[in-house]
C-alpha cells in the first residue's frame, strides 16, 4: 500500500531542511516533493499494511522536530 503524507512548515527554509534530512534518511525509502510555495513537503512511501506504521511515526517525530505538522 502506498502512503502519502504532507507536512506544513512555517517557512520554506525549514521545509527544505526537513526535505534534506529525508534525502539522507536510512529508515525507509521515501519519495518527496515540495508544494504550496515550498511550505509543504509531500512524502510517499510503501507500507505493507500490517501492524503499526513505524515509518509514519518516525516521519511525524522528525517533522515535529522542525516545527512541522501533518496537513491535508
Amino acid at each position: 500500500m502506498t502512503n502519502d503524507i504532507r507536512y506544513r512548515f512555517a517557512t520554506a527554509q525549514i521545509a527544505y531542511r526537513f526535505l534534506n534530512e529525508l534525502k539522507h534518511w536510512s529508515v525507509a525509502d521515501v519519495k518527496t516533493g515540495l508544494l504550496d510555495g515550498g511550505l509543504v513537503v509531500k512524502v510517499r512511501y510503501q507500507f505493507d499494511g500490517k501492524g503499526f506504521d513505524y515509518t509514519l511515526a518516525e516521519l511525524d517525530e522528525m517533522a515535529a522536530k522542525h516545527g512541522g505538522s501533518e496537513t491535508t
Side-chain angles (χ1 to χ4, degrees), residues 1-2 11-12 16-17 25 27 33 42 44 49-51 54 65 72:
M1 160 169 70
T2 301
T11 67
Y16 278 107
R17 285 184 194 144
W25 200 39
V27 174
K42 178 181 177 182
R44 173 178 281 179
K50 299 175 184 172
Y54 289 97
K65 181 178 82 175
T72 57

Side-chain angles (χ1 to χ4, degrees), residues 6-62:
R6 296 173 187 200
Y7 295 99
R8 177 171 294 279
F9 298 90
T11 67
Q13 182 179 13
I14 296 170
Y16 278 107
R17 285 184 194 144
F18 176 72
L19 187 66
N20 188 50
E21 192 169 341
L22 285 175
K23 289 185 181 195
H24 300 91
W25 200 39
S26 62
V27 174
D29 182 28
V30 295
K31 308 282 189 247
T32 60
L34 289 172
L35 305 169
D36 196 20
L39 296 175
V40 174
V41 176
K42 178 181 177 182
V43 182
R44 173 178 281 179
Y45 63 94
Q46 293 296 320
F47 174 58
D48 63 9
K50 299 175 184 172
F52 185 76
D53 187 351
Y54 289 97
T55 301
L56 181 57
E58 297 238 4
L59 285 168
D60 286 348
E61 286 181 23
M62 186 187 312

